[in-house]
Amino acid sequence: MRSLWDDSEARVCGDDPLSLRVYTSRLIGREPSLVLHGGGNTSVKATAEDVFGDPQDAIWVKGSGWDLATIERGGFAPLRLDGVQRMAGLDELTDTRMVTMLRSLLLDPAAPTPSVEAILHAIIPFRFVDHTHADAVVTITNTPGGMERIGEVYGDRIFIVPYVMPGFDLAREVYSMTRDMDWEEVEGIILLNHGVFTFGDDARSSYERMIQIVTEAEDYLDVHAPWEAAEEPPRELASADLRALAAMRREVSRAAGKALVAAADTRPAAVAFSERPDVAAIATRGPLTPDHVIRTKRVPVVFADGEAPDTVVEHFVEEYRAYFERNAHESLRCLDPAPRWVVWPGRGTLAFGGSPQEAAIASDIVAHTFPAIERAELLEAWESLPEDDIFDVEYWELEQAKLARLPAPKEFAGRVALVTGAASGIGRATVDGFVARGACVVALDINDDVTTVFTGDRVHPVVCNVTDAAAVQSAIEAGVRRFGGLDVVVSNAGIFPATARLAELQPETWRKSREVNLDAHLFVIQKALPFLESGIDPAVVIVGSKNVAAPGKGAAAYSVAKAGLTQLARVAALEFAPAGIRVNVLHPNDVFDTGIWSPEVLEARAREYGMDVDAYRRRNLLGVEIASSEVAALAIAMAGPLFARTTGAQVPVDGGNDRVV
C-alpha cells in the first residue's frame, strides 16, 4: 500500500486542523482495503469556541453515518474534550447512555451524532487519530495464532488489544490497559479481529503510520500466504443460471418478508473461491470483522447444483432462528432470518439488499471477505470471532435503535420492473414513477437515447428492438443479471402508423403495425415468463388502446393489432393465473405527449373527424387532455397491491368516450 499524500493538495488546507483532518480522512476512504462503506473513523483535537465565544479544548470525531471517502467538515462532530475523556473513567455505561452523554457534550447541537469510538479517540494523547478495519491486519488476526503473528510482524512497536465489543467497553478497556503506558513508545494499536488505530501530532504522520503498518501486514501475507486474484473479466451467467438466480432471490425475499435485489460477483476470483471443495466449511465460520454482520449476517448460504432454493433457504432460516435462541435475552426480537449472501459453487457469490446500493455494499464486503478467508487458510486457518461476539454486534442496542428509526420502505422497494418503449411518453413516465416508488427498472427502447435518459443505479437501460425475439430475451436476461429477477412487465412499446382507408392500406403498413403492436408484446411476455414465475407478486400490464372498443376510420392497421394484443392479454391472464401472475390491460386514448403523436399524425387524425387540432385534443366526455404521467400512474397501480386480486381486467384511460361507455 502506498501513501496518497500530496503536498500540493495538503497546502490548500493551510494550517487548519479540521481541513487537514478532512483531507487525510478522504485519503483513507479512497482505499477499500482500509475501510468499506462507512467503516472506520478519524478525529482531530484542537481549540474551538463555545456558544459564548470562549475557547475550549475540543475533539472533532467522524459523525455516525458519514463515509470517510466523501466526508466534509460538517461530517465531524465537535465535542468538549475534557468531558469525553472523563467518560473513560466511568465504571460502567450502556452504549445508549454513552451516545446521549456524547451529544450533551457537542459544541454544535446541529452536528451529527459522534462515532461510538469517540471516547477511545479522546484518550489517545495525540492531535490526529485514524482508525481503519484494514483487510490485511484483520486477516492475520483471524487465525488461531493471530496474536502471536501480529507480535512477529511488529514486535513491541504496536500495542495489542484482545477483542472487546466496540463502544464504551472497548474505550474503558483501552483506558485501563494504557493508563501507565508511554504512548511515545508505540506506533499504533491493533484491536484483534477489529482493526488498527494510528496517531500523530500532525495529519501526515498519523496517516502515513497507518499506511506503513498496513503495508507491513500485506508484506507478511505476501511471504507467508501468497495469493493473487485473476485479472480476467467476469463470467456471464447462462440462461439456466439466471432462472436459478431468480428463484433464489424469490426465496430469500420471502424469508426476509420483503422484496430484495441481488448482486452477482462472477469474477474468476469469486468463482475460484466458490469451487473450493472446503468452501461450505470455511465460508461459514464468520465475517471478516464483526461490524459486517449488519450487512451480511454471520454466515452465507452455500447453494449447490441440484438443491432446491426453497429448501436451502428454509434450512438457513431454521439455523438462524436457532442461533438467535442460543444467544438472545428476553427483550430482543428476532430480525428477519433471511441470508444476505450466497456462495454458488461454480458461479461465484450473490449478495442481497433492499436496493441496488444495499446489495452492492454487501457484495463489496463479500468481495473483501473471501480473499481474506483464502489467505488465512494459506497462513494457518480462517478463524472468525465466536458466534456470541458476532451476535452482540448484530443485536447491539445502538443498531436496534437505528433500525427502529428507519422510514417505512416505499411501495415497490426491492421489486424489479421491465418497461418497453421506455425512452419517452408513457414508457418514460412509467419508469420514473416506478423509481420514485422504490422499484428497480429494466428500461427497453429502440432509441439509443434510452441509455442517456436515465441515470442512477435503479435503472438498467437497454437499447432493444422488441420485434426481435432474440434481442428481447437478451435484454431481459441482462436485467436479471443486474437485479437478480423480474417481478413486473409493462409492455408499452407501440407505433401509430400513417392513416389509410382499407382500400389504400399497404401491406407494409399492416405488417409493421402487427410486428410492433402485437408480435413484440408476445415476445416480451414469452421471454419474461420464466422469470415472472419466480417473481415477487408478479404482474403484467399491457398498454392497449381505446381503438379496441372504438376503432377509428383509417386506423385499421393500428386498431386490429391492438385488438389482437388485447385478446393476447386475455389468454395470458388465463394461462398465467396458476403461477400467480396477474395480467391486466390499459386502454389509453389521445395521449398527445407520446412519440406516436407527431404533429402530422395529429393533424391527419383531426381531419378524419372533421375537427381542428385543439378540439381533437379534448374530444372526450370530460373535455380533458390525457397525460403520459396519468396513464403511467394507473399502470403502476395495476402492478401494486391495489390490484392484487385483479387479473384479466381492461381499464380505459381516455377521459370517457361515448362510443366506449
Side-chain angles (χ1 to χ4, degrees):
M1 184 170 293
R2 65 183 183 86
S3 170
L4 300 177
W5 179 276
D6 185 300
D7 285 333
S8 62
E9 292 177 351
R11 276 195 294 272
V12 175
C13 302
D15 296 326
D16 177 41
L18 186 54
S19 294
L20 288 164
R21 177 67 288 170
V22 170
Y23 172 59
T24 54
S25 297
R26 288 186 172 187
L27 296 185
I28 289 171
R30 282 163 57 182
E31 178 46 71
S33 63
L34 290 177
V35 292
L36 281 173
H37 302 290
N41 40 70
T42 58
S43 68
V44 62
K45 302 176 183 75
T47 302
E49 289 186 353
D50 63 16
V51 293
F52 300 106
D54 297 328
Q56 299 283 345
D57 289 337
I59 179 171
W60 281 261
V61 181
K62 190 196 92 163
S64 177
W66 282 79
D67 193 316
L68 289 178
T70 57
I71 197 164
E72 301 171 357
R73 294 174 68 90
F76 287 90
L79 300 131
R80 295 178 183 273
L81 179 60
D82 60 345
V84 182
Q85 290 171 333
R86 287 184 63 187
M87 290 174 66
L90 298 174
D91 291 331
E92 59 182 36
L93 188 66
T94 67
D95 286 327
T96 299
R97 177 63 179 159
M98 176 191 70
V99 170
T100 300
M101 291 180 67
L102 287 172
R103 285 209 61 86
S104 74
L105 294 169
L106 284 170
L107 292 167
D108 177 3
T113 297
S115 164
V116 296
E117 309 289 12
I119 301 174
L120 182 47
H121 281 263
I123 63 174
I124 295 175
F126 291 87
R127 291 186 74 196
F128 289 85
V129 179
D130 297 329
H131 171 44
T132 75
H133 303 150
D135 289 357
V137 175
V138 179
T139 297
I140 295 171
T141 68
N142 281 5
T143 61
M147 179 176 284
E148 292 74 18
R149 290 180 182 278
I150 290 295
E152 181 183 340
V153 176
Y154 302 107
D156 296 333
R157 298 156 43 221
I158 295 294
F159 185 72
I160 302 174
V161 180
Y163 177 77
V164 180
M165 176 82 172
F168 177 75
D169 290 347
L170 175 59
R172 184 76 177 84
E173 182 69 15
V174 174
Y175 177 71
S176 299
M177 294 176 69
T178 61
R179 197 172 299 181
D180 299 321
M181 186 180 79
D182 183 354
W183 284 88
E184 295 292 344
E185 293 184 357
V186 297
E187 298 176 11
I189 301 173
I190 288 182
L191 312 173
L192 297 183
N193 310 98
H194 182 158
V196 186
F197 273 85
T198 57
F199 31 80
D201 281 328
D202 64 86
R204 183 172 188 172
S205 63
S206 181
Y207 165 69
E208 292 194 334
R209 270 186 174 181
M210 179 66 70
I211 300 304
Q212 179 59 35
I213 286 171
V214 175
T215 298
E216 290 180 57
E218 291 175 334
D219 291 344
Y220 182 87
L221 288 174
D222 287 343
V223 171
H224 298 278
W227 182 90
E228 188 173 347
E231 295 295 331
E232 299 175 24
R235 300 182 184 180
E236 191 167 272
L237 292 174
S239 297
D241 293 334
L242 292 173
R243 289 193 288 273
L245 167 59
M248 176 62 74
R249 169 184 171 259
R250 176 192 59 200
E251 297 307 321
V252 171
S253 296
R254 284 177 175 174
K258 59 185 179 182
L260 302 174
V261 296
D265 184 350
T266 59
R267 293 172 301 132
V271 174
F273 175 72
S274 76
E275 291 176 330
R276 288 182 60 123
D278 59 351
V279 69
I282 62 175
T284 54
R285 292 180 190 164
L288 180 58
T289 67
D291 61 303
H292 289 168
V293 71
I294 307 302
R295 299 284 191 178
T296 65
K297 300 287 190 184
R298 189 178 70 88
V299 296
V301 162
V302 180
F303 173 46
D305 286 342
E307 293 185 294
D310 57 346
T311 302
V312 174
V313 174
E314 182 180 351
H315 179 70
F316 181 94
V317 168
E318 291 171 354
E319 290 292 322
Y320 183 88
R321 287 180 173 145
Y323 152 78
F324 177 81
E325 293 298 328
R326 286 194 300 272
N327 295 283
H329 54 75
E330 291 182 0
S331 65
L332 289 177
R333 186 175 66 181
C334 188
L335 298 172
D336 84 66
R340 287 303 189 271
W341 71 288
V342 172
V343 178
W344 193 358
R347 279 77 167 181
T349 65
L350 306 174
F352 296 90
S355 67
Q357 181 184 32
E358 286 184 11
I361 289 172
S363 185
D364 283 350
I365 290 171
V366 172
H368 284 256
T369 298
F370 71 73
I373 294 174
E374 299 246 46
R375 301 195 81 168
E377 284 291 303
L378 290 169
L379 196 61
E380 183 178 4
W382 174 254
E383 183 179 82
S384 188
L385 286 167
E387 72 166 40
D388 57 339
D389 286 321
I390 303 300
F391 181 90
D392 287 344
V393 175
E394 185 174 4
Y395 284 85
W396 194 4
E397 59 186 287
L398 297 181
E399 287 297 331
Q400 296 296 295
K402 188 185 299 182
L403 290 173
R405 293 192 300 269
L406 290 177
K410 294 182 178 180
E411 179 183 2
F412 285 89
R415 292 182 70 195
V416 182
L418 179 139
V419 179
T420 67
S424 62
I426 295 170
R428 181 170 181 176
T430 303
V431 173
D432 290 341
F434 270 126
V435 171
R437 293 163 177 80
C440 302
V441 185
V442 186
L444 274 55
D445 203 286
I446 195 171
N447 193 327
D448 290 351
D449 288 350
V450 72
T451 60
T452 56
V453 163
F454 302 110
T455 59
D457 61 358
R458 290 183 181 272
V459 181
H460 183 70
V462 183
V463 177
C464 177
N465 181 349
V466 289
T467 67
D468 181 339
V472 170
Q473 176 157 340
S474 177
I476 291 173
E477 290 185 350
V480 174
R481 287 189 186 92
R482 177 67 183 85
F483 299 121
L486 181 62
D487 309 309
V488 176
V489 169
V490 178
S491 194
N492 162 73
I495 60 171
F496 195 99
T499 58
R501 298 286 181 126
L502 290 174
E504 293 84 31
L505 181 59
Q506 297 298 309
E508 176 61 21
T509 302
W510 179 268
R511 180 191 63 78
K512 184 67 174 177
S513 180
R514 190 202 71 231
E515 288 179 345
V516 177
N517 294 323
L518 176 57
D519 297 354
H521 295 263
L522 171 64
F523 300 153
V524 169
I525 62 175
Q526 275 185 330
K527 305 307 180 184
L529 180 60
F531 302 107
L532 291 172
E533 288 174 332
S534 294
I536 299 159
D537 189 19
V540 175
V541 180
I542 301 291
V543 179
S545 170
K546 175 275 302 181
N547 281 41
V548 173
K553 293 179 290 184
Y558 181 76
S559 300
V560 171
K562 286 291 187 177
L565 173 60
T566 301
Q567 198 74 345
L568 172 67
R570 296 175 68 196
V571 173
L574 295 169
E575 295 185 0
F576 294 2
I581 303 168
R582 298 176 288 117
V583 183
N584 293 295
V585 183
L586 280 179
H587 289 312
N589 185 43
D590 294 345
V591 185
F592 297 113
D593 59 344
T594 65
I596 67 173
W597 284 102
S598 66
E600 294 76 20
V601 170
L602 185 56
E603 289 172 4
R605 295 304 297 161
R607 282 196 302 271
E608 286 284 343
Y609 285 85
M611 299 178 177
D612 62 31
V613 169
D614 287 340
Y616 185 77
R617 285 178 178 274
R618 299 175 183 273
R619 61 184 186 97
N620 55 61
L621 296 179
L622 296 177
V624 296
E625 287 196 36
I626 312 299
S628 292
S629 59
E630 294 162 334
V631 180
L634 188 50
I636 294 165
M638 281 184 156
L642 189 64
F643 282 75
R645 299 295 182 266
T646 302
T647 193
Q650 299 181 49
V651 180
V653 193
D654 58 9
N657 186 291
D658 55 1
R659 295 175 60 205
V660 174
V661 172

